[in-house]
Amino acid sequence: MGNVGRTLALAALVTGLMTGCAAKEAAPDAASKASGASATATAKVARRGGSIGASGSACELPVTFDIAEFWKAEAVDSEEATAATGDLADLADAFLRQGPVTMACEVDAKPAGKIGFLRVWTGEPGDTDARAVLEDFVAAERGASDARYSTVKAGAITGAEVEYVTTSELLEETKKEHALAVTTPEGPVVLHLGGMDTSEHEAMLPAYELAKSTLRTTAAG
């Protein structure tokens, strides 16, 4: 399964070290919204290395966006991964499905000298709005807390964005996470940026900002 197999192996190790923690949301006030808007306006954007999402690209998706220079995209075949049996099948299902969406693409930062992924998750068409999709996505994340939601303009699309932290009770460590969700005629799409730790996450934020600023639906272009 290529990159999926390697990812699942890593997930197995991480899963063994992590323990659950109930997710909670911190409602954004006017000051936090203003701060978020200011941060977006001044956010550093990575140098473009290519784009994905269109037919014939590394990952064919309901949206297209630019990826950072040297980052490598690879499609995730979730059906193939979950065809395994026993414990591996359970691990695959837990790792590749989060809330209402399933992992469809991984953009690896390793070729750019960083440790982490920008992951794309897709779901089935429906009436659920982007904010609700994102809330369900975060609620399904083990150890997620302190979620701060806002409305975001992602390229030509209006969606929802969240900044939150995940905590390992065993390791007594927390790290930042970012995600955004949009809805398309083909279903919801979530872009998620994690990272090995908060330092790596912050170093990769320009790649996330590049993806957000260039995001558009496949049907639109």
Side-chain angles (χ1 to χ4, degrees):
M1 290 181 283
N3 197 44
V4 176
R6 294 191 296 273
T7 301
L8 289 176
L10 176 59
L13 175 61
V14 173
T15 300
L17 295 175
M18 297 287 289
T19 57
C21 177
K24 61 180 180 180
E25 174 185 342
D29 55 20
S32 67
K33 287 183 179 179
S35 175
S38 175
T40 299
T42 59
K44 183 178 179 181
V45 177
R47 184 190 299 270
R48 178 183 182 276
S51 65
I52 60 173
S55 177
S57 66
C59 297
E60 298 184 6
L61 303 163
V63 296
T64 63
F65 60 89
D66 289 349
I67 62 174
E69 188 176 31
F70 304 124
W71 287 48
K72 180 179 175 59
E74 184 172 343
V76 176
D77 189 340
S78 58
E79 291 185 4
E80 178 185 351
T82 54
T85 58
D87 292 341
L88 183 58
D90 292 339
L91 175 61
D93 186 70
F95 186 68
L96 296 176
R97 304 184 193 282
Q98 187 164 320
V101 289
T102 301
M103 193 187 303
C105 182
E106 285 187 326
V107 190
D108 190 356
K110 197 180 294 88
K114 300 177 177 63
I115 303 174
F117 296 90
L118 177 64
R119 292 188 169 104
V120 187
W121 305 70
T122 58
E124 296 296 323
D127 297 329
T128 307
D129 63 26
R131 169 67 181 259
V133 168
L134 203 54
E135 288 176 344
D136 289 345
F137 179 83
V138 174
E141 174 113 14
R142 177 173 294 181
S145 64
D146 298 330
R148 300 183 182 275
Y149 294 90
S150 61
T151 300
V152 64
K153 188 76 171 178
I157 311 169
T158 299
E161 187 171 26
V162 63
E163 178 180 346
Y164 61 104
V165 298
T166 53
T167 302
S168 166
E169 292 183 334
L170 180 62
L171 299 178
E172 298 183 345
E173 293 180 353
T174 63
K175 63 175 182 174
K176 289 183 180 179
E177 314 268 347
H178 276 80
L180 67 87
V182 297
T183 56
T184 80
E186 297 177 57
V189 177
V190 174
L191 270 62
H192 171 262
L193 181 72
M196 182 180 68
D197 53 31
T198 292
S199 177
E200 285 294 308
H201 176 82
E202 292 178 343
M204 296 187 297
L205 276 174
Y208 172 83
E209 293 295 338
L210 173 66
K212 181 170 71 173
S213 67
T214 58
L215 189 70
R216 62 179 181 174
T217 62
T218 304

